[in-house]
């Protein structure tokens, strides 16, 4: 099928990037479980290695099953190309890798997935990269943090852990003015709820582990390129604009135009970093994406019901869901994620740390796990798990105070979820 812009989201989530298998007519995308691909002849091999012809060489770089997923996610996000990789965290490194160098920095939101805070504040230092964390609701602070060595601005569309909504329109004005790309982690929103490229994002990253797969089976990641950034407008991005010695001095931007970032991601990123997605993982994620819109609608509907019920309950101090009128982010929902504020939020329990521990122990449908975006409802008490190394002050600043739990609302019956929370909160009160 040709992926014309006339097709709606529900059609594209099933068809984009896929066509019946040319060899067998198989209607579902086959799992191409192969490491290598036979060259037609020596000239064909040489053309592939010179990037003069696009094709399959070796599955560390490209694989036909993974390629279908790449085209599917790129289409749903409204990008020109995408590179899949082994996890969401790999996608973040793959996105930054062509942009950064020793001494360069990324200006990042303080409201991020906990693992990303660790990756950015600790691990990337080993590459000589630095992250400058700022409150992305304070636009002056974001502007002030961007300096001559900044090579990217990074945030989540619907941000962890509280489901806060980032004002992508305002943030992209700042990154544009500074001539640096905006990278948006769209994991919690998915392209069904939010399309960051329409709000000025240059690159969109995903942990496909979460809602895109939707059933907690495989880890994966994806970097989508909008194709809109002019990598040659300054000398800040030599990986994309200057001659590449490993390809006889080829310049990615000059040669591949809007696909420069995608080609670099495959021909240099996957080739040398090797954070490859395997075809089995791509298959599970393709299966999941076929029902993305249906699941997201239910996630949103259930989250709204559960959050509304919790907010009215005496045992609860507050609920952070942006879909509630009480949220300071409520008026951003229509503009940034018009189909709903997602399925992720936190709530604070009267009775503090001990009550939270009893609550997670007493729940029957909710699973106590360090994951989100599963069909099943999940809960985590961050202060005793993912954030336990932090001081109470740091926990509060991260939105993961002693009395706070984070939930990822699944697609079960909302009434059952509410009844489960009700019985567990009763036990937590004693
Ligand atoms: C899970 C997650 C990640 C990391 O993805 P992995 O697939 O676990 O590596 C990054 N960002 C967000 C928002 C996430 O939820």
């Amino acid at each position: 099928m040709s992926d014309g812009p006339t097709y709606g989201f529900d059609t594209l989530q099933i068809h984009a990037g896929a066509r019946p298998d040319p060899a067998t007519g198989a209607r579902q995308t086959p799992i191409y479980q192969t490491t290598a691909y036979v060259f037609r002849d020596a000239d064909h091999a040489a053309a592939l290695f010179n990037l003069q012809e696009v094709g399959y060489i070796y599955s560390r770089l490209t694989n036909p099953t993974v390629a279908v997923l790449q085209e599917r996610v790129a289409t749903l996000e409204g990008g020109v190309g995408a590179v899949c990789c082994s996890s969401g965290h790999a996608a973040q490194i793959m996105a930054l890798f062509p942009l950064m160098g020793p001494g360069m920095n990324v200006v990042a939101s303080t409201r991020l997935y906990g693992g990303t805070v660790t990756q950015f504040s600790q691990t990337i230092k080993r590459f000589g990269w630095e992250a400058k964390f700022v409150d992305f609701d304070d636009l002056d602070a974001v502007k002030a943090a961007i300096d001559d060595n900044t090579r990217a601005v990074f945030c989540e569309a619907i941000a962890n852990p509280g489901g806060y909504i980032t004002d992508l329109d305002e943030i992209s004005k700042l990154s544009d003015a500074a001539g640096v790309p905006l990278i948006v982690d769209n994991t919690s929103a998915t392209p069904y709820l939010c399309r960051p490229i329409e709000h000025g994002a240059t690159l969109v990253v995903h942990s496909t582990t979460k809602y895109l797969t939707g059933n907690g089976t495989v880890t994966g990641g994806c970097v989508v390129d909008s194709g809109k950034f002019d990598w040659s407008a300054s000398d800040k991005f030599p990986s994309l604009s200057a001659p590449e010695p490993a390809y006889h001095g080829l310049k990615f931007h000059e040669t591949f135009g809007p696909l420069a970032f995608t080609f670099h991601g495959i021909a240099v990123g996957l080739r040398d970093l090797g954070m490859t997605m395997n075809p089995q993982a791509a298959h599970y994620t393709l299966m999941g994406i076929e029902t993305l819109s249906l699941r997201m609608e239910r996630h949103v509907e259930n989250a709204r019901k559960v959050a509304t019920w919790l907010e009215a309950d005496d045992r609860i101090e507050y609920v952070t869901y942006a879909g509630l009128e009480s949220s300071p982010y409520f008026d951003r929902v229509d503009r940034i994620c018009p189909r709903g504020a997602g399925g992720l939020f936190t709530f604070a329990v009267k009775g503090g740390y001990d009550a939270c521990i009893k609550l997670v122990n007493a729940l029957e449908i909710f699973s106590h796990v360090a994951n989100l975006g599963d069909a099943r409802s999940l809960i985590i008490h961050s202060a005793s798990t993912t954030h336990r190394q932090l001081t109470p002050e740091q926990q509060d600043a991260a939105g993961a105070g002693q009395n706070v739990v984070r939930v990822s609302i699944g697609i079960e019956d909302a009434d059952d979820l509410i009844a489960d929370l009700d019985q567990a909160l009763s036990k937590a009160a004693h």
Side-chain angles (χ1 to χ4, degrees):
M1 131 180 206
S2 63
D3 308 327
T6 49
Y7 292 117
F9 193 97
D10 292 357
T11 306
L12 293 172
Q13 73 185 357
I14 294 171
H15 292 287
R19 46 198 67 77
D21 180 50
T24 62
R27 178 61 272 208
Q28 190 49 275
T29 299
I31 303 170
Y32 288 92
Q33 197 67 57
T34 184
T35 308
Y37 307 84
V38 179
F39 305 121
R40 286 196 303 272
D41 52 36
D43 286 345
H44 177 222
L48 289 173
F49 276 94
N50 275 340
L51 300 183
Q52 286 157 338
E53 191 175 320
V54 177
Y56 298 103
I57 298 176
Y58 187 66
S59 282
R60 174 158 29 82
L61 290 86
T62 44
N63 172 281
T65 313
V66 177
V68 172
L69 178 60
Q70 288 172 162
E71 197 174 329
R72 177 103 23 112
V73 180
T75 304
L76 295 179
E77 286 287 3
V80 295
V83 181
C84 283
C85 49
S86 53
S87 71
H89 272 5
Q92 292 167 192
I93 297 296
M94 289 281 294
L96 290 173
F97 176 64
L99 313 176
M100 303 282 278
M104 304 304 155
N105 68 68
V106 51
V107 171
S109 170
T110 46
R111 295 193 189 87
L112 294 177
Y113 177 74
T116 307
V117 175
T118 309
Q119 187 188 54
F120 281 14
S121 62
Q122 310 292 333
T123 305
I124 65 170
K125 284 189 202 158
R126 307 274 190 106
F127 306 142
W129 308 349
E130 188 203 348
K132 297 165 104 182
F133 290 98
V134 244
D135 177 354
F136 270 41
D137 281 337
D138 184 346
L139 296 175
D140 290 335
V142 177
K143 192 173 173 186
I146 300 176
D147 62 24
D148 288 346
N149 291 330
T150 300
R151 291 295 178 271
V153 173
F154 188 99
C155 61
E156 295 176 9
I158 297 182
N160 270 279
Y164 316 103
I165 294 172
T166 308
D167 195 337
L168 302 178
D169 297 319
E170 292 300 324
I171 298 293
S172 65
K173 280 183 204 158
L174 299 179
S175 56
D176 277 355
V180 294
L182 171 62
I183 307 173
V184 175
D185 182 337
N186 202 28
T187 301
S188 308
T190 81
Y192 185 66
L193 300 181
C194 175
R195 305 227 307 166
I197 291 171
E198 290 171 4
H199 300 280
T202 309
L203 304 170
V204 177
V205 294
H206 276 283
S207 167
T208 60
T209 313
K210 313 293 170 50
Y211 291 106
L212 294 186
T213 304
N215 46 37
T217 45
V218 286
T219 61
C222 189
V223 186
V224 181
D225 181 17
S226 66
K228 291 182 179 163
F229 197 87
D230 183 357
W231 304 109
S232 307
S234 73
D235 57 6
K236 286 183 175 173
F237 304 103
S239 295
L240 296 158
S241 63
E244 166 64 45
Y247 287 108
H248 311 301
L250 171 148
K251 295 179 185 171
F252 276 90
H253 191 210
E254 187 184 274
T255 309
F256 300 111
L259 282 167
F261 194 94
T262 303
F263 270 81
H264 189 277
I266 293 167
V268 180
L270 288 181
R271 185 196 63 188
D272 295 344
L273 300 176
M275 302 163 162
T276 308
M277 176 182 278
N278 68 74
Q280 288 278 348
H283 167 75
Y284 280 111
T285 304
L286 282 166
M287 294 302 95
I289 287 186
E290 293 192 348
T291 58
L292 180 64
S293 64
L294 308 176
R295 288 184 287 108
M296 292 316 292
E297 274 171 13
R298 179 64 73 84
H299 282 295
V300 167
E301 185 187 322
N302 281 359
R304 199 182 288 129
K305 283 184 188 162
V306 173
T308 303
W309 179 84
L310 284 166
E311 190 174 48
D313 193 279
D314 282 349
R315 296 163 290 189
I316 302 302
E317 246 168 73
Y318 63 82
V319 182
T320 63
Y321 190 51
L324 294 174
E325 272 177 54
S326 58
S327 165
Y329 299 97
F330 183 72
D331 59 6
R332 288 184 189 168
V333 176
D334 279 351
R335 181 162 50 90
I336 306 288
C337 45
R339 283 161 159 159
L344 191 71
F345 60 88
T346 58
F347 61 91
V349 184
K350 290 178 187 163
Y353 190 94
D354 292 341
C356 289
I357 297 283
K358 287 182 189 161
L359 170 71
V360 295
N361 283 338
L363 284 163
E364 283 167 12
I365 299 175
F366 283 80
S367 307
H368 187 205
V369 299
N371 191 18
L372 61 95
D374 195 317
R376 36 193 76 61
S377 290
L378 312 174
I379 189 165
I380 189 150
H381 181 227
S382 306
S384 61
T385 55
T386 52
H387 291 64
R388 70 175 298 133
Q389 316 303 345
L390 306 186
T391 63
E393 294 72 36
Q394 288 173 318
Q395 290 170 346
D396 281 335
Q402 304 260 311
N403 57 342
V404 174
V405 290
R406 185 192 74 190
V407 283
S408 170
I409 301 296
I411 58 175
E412 303 99 331
D413 283 286
D415 290 345
D416 293 340
L417 299 178
I418 290 170
D420 194 26
L421 286 164
D422 193 22
Q423 64 81 18
L425 281 166
S426 302
K427 289 182 185 144
H430 298 293

